[in-house]
């Protein structure tokens, strides 16, 4: 079962999983896009909103051996400018929904003695990101949720995939374009390959691209130098003085 399968990382993962021979249940809210991905990948389209319809979606999906919890949303800007209710929406979609979905699907996996959970988090959850405090917090919570589950489970695998900036409709939907100089966006197919590999090889943690492991480790080992670098490279271009420009 792949959530958020109607576009972006979810759609790319559906195609990659189909090539790997998986029988797919695809969840999403956009009926037209979801049906198109289902037709392309041979999957079963189960339309619905995970923040409100999770129990019904699970019932319609049937037995699930592998969950790819990918659906989510974002918002960018200073926390003081965030509209009322937006934080609650991000928490519901990015953190509460995957937890509820896992809670519903996991008992059957445990009973069967097999299964795999893949949580699509973000490098933002590992290091924090300027102007995305709530989004980063939800992804950090997802990472901690997965890590904690690993201590509980023996026959059910748990993986976290941490993408960097991915070339998907995510930024248009959140209402703010990506303006940072670095890192540069990668195609969704690259993340999809990391997700498939996480399931096939039982990898607990994967970064896409792989070099993002370095800043994540640097943040833990040397937070001071990391923050200094992040302040230089992580700020939007519009907030830094360009060569020859007046500060």
């Amino acid at each position: 079962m792949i959530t958020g399968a109607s576009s972006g990382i979810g759609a790319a993962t559906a195609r990659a999983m189909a090539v790997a021979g998986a029988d797919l249940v695809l969840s999403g809210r956009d009926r037209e896009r979801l049906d198109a991905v289902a037709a392309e990948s041979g999957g079963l389209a189960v339309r619905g909103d995970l923040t409100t319809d999770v129990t019904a979606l699970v019932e319609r999906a049937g037995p699930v051996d592998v969950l790819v919890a990918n659906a989510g949303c974002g918002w960018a800007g200073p926390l003081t400018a965030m509209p009322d209710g937006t934080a609650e929406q991000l928490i519901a979609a990015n953190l509460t929904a995957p937890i509820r979905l896992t809670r519903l699907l996991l008992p059957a996996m445990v009973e069967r003695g097999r299964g795999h959970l893949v949580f699509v988090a973000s490098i933002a959850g590992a290091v924090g990101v300027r102007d995305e405090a709530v989004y980063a917090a939800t992804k950090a919570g997802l990472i901690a949720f997965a890590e904690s589950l690993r201590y509980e489970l023996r026959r059910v695998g748990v993986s976290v995939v941490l993408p960097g900036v991915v070339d998907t409709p995510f930024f248009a939907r959140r209402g703010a374009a990506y303006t940072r100089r670095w890192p540069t966006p990668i195609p969704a197919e690259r993340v999809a390959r990391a997700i498939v590999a996480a399931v096939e090889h039982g990898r607990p943690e994967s970064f896409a691209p792989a070099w993002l492991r370095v800043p994540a480790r640097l943040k833990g080992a040397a937070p001071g130098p990391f923050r200094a670098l992040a302040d230089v490279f992580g700020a939007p271009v519009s907030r830094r003085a360009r060569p020859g420009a007046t500060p």
Side-chain angles (χ1 to χ4, degrees):
M1 182 176 188
I2 303 170
T3 69
S6 56
S7 67
I9 294 172
T13 302
R15 292 188 287 267
M17 285 288 190
V19 171
D23 296 322
L24 303 175
V25 176
L26 307 177
S27 169
R29 294 185 298 179
D30 188 315
R31 183 184 300 277
E32 184 175 346
R33 290 176 181 268
L34 188 65
D35 287 345
V37 175
E40 182 181 2
S41 62
L44 170 66
V46 180
R47 183 179 174 274
D49 189 333
L50 284 171
T51 63
T52 58
D53 304 329
V54 63
T55 301
L57 287 171
V58 168
E59 292 175 350
R60 292 165 60 194
V64 172
D65 292 311
V66 177
L67 168 66
V68 179
N70 164 73
C73 59
W75 187 89
L79 185 62
T80 54
M82 177 177 277
D84 290 343
T86 300
E88 291 78 4
Q89 293 173 4
L90 265 64
I91 293 168
N94 298 354
L95 184 56
T96 304
I99 291 174
R100 292 186 63 205
L101 187 57
T102 301
R103 177 63 187 86
L104 291 171
L105 293 175
L106 185 58
M109 293 183 184
V110 172
E111 184 177 352
R112 291 192 298 269
R114 68 180 189 275
H116 204 107
L117 305 167
V118 182
F119 300 100
V120 180
S122 169
I123 187 62
V127 302
V129 177
R130 182 196 306 267
D131 287 343
E132 296 184 62
V134 177
Y135 175 77
T138 63
K139 294 301 185 177
L142 199 58
I143 294 169
F145 176 63
E147 182 68 22
S148 299
L149 280 178
R150 290 191 192 99
Y151 298 119
E152 296 182 23
L153 305 174
R154 292 293 179 266
R155 297 183 180 179
V156 176
V158 182
S159 299
V160 170
V161 176
L162 295 86
V165 186
V166 186
D167 185 12
T168 71
F170 174 83
F171 297 103
R173 290 172 181 167
R174 76 175 187 177
Y178 180 73
T179 59
R180 295 184 177 93
R181 179 188 303 172
W182 176 86
T184 55
I186 63 172
E189 287 73 18
R190 192 166 177 178
V191 185
R193 290 195 296 270
I195 292 171
V196 173
V199 176
E200 290 181 336
H201 303 291
R203 294 173 181 168
E205 182 182 72
S206 300
F207 291 82
W211 65 261
L212 284 176
R213 185 181 306 273
V214 176
R217 299 295 179 258
L218 179 61
K219 167 66 166 55
F226 172 83
R227 292 187 185 109
L229 289 170
D231 192 51
V232 173
F233 293 104
V237 173
S238 61
R239 294 190 178 183
R240 292 193 300 266
R242 298 177 178 84
T246 301

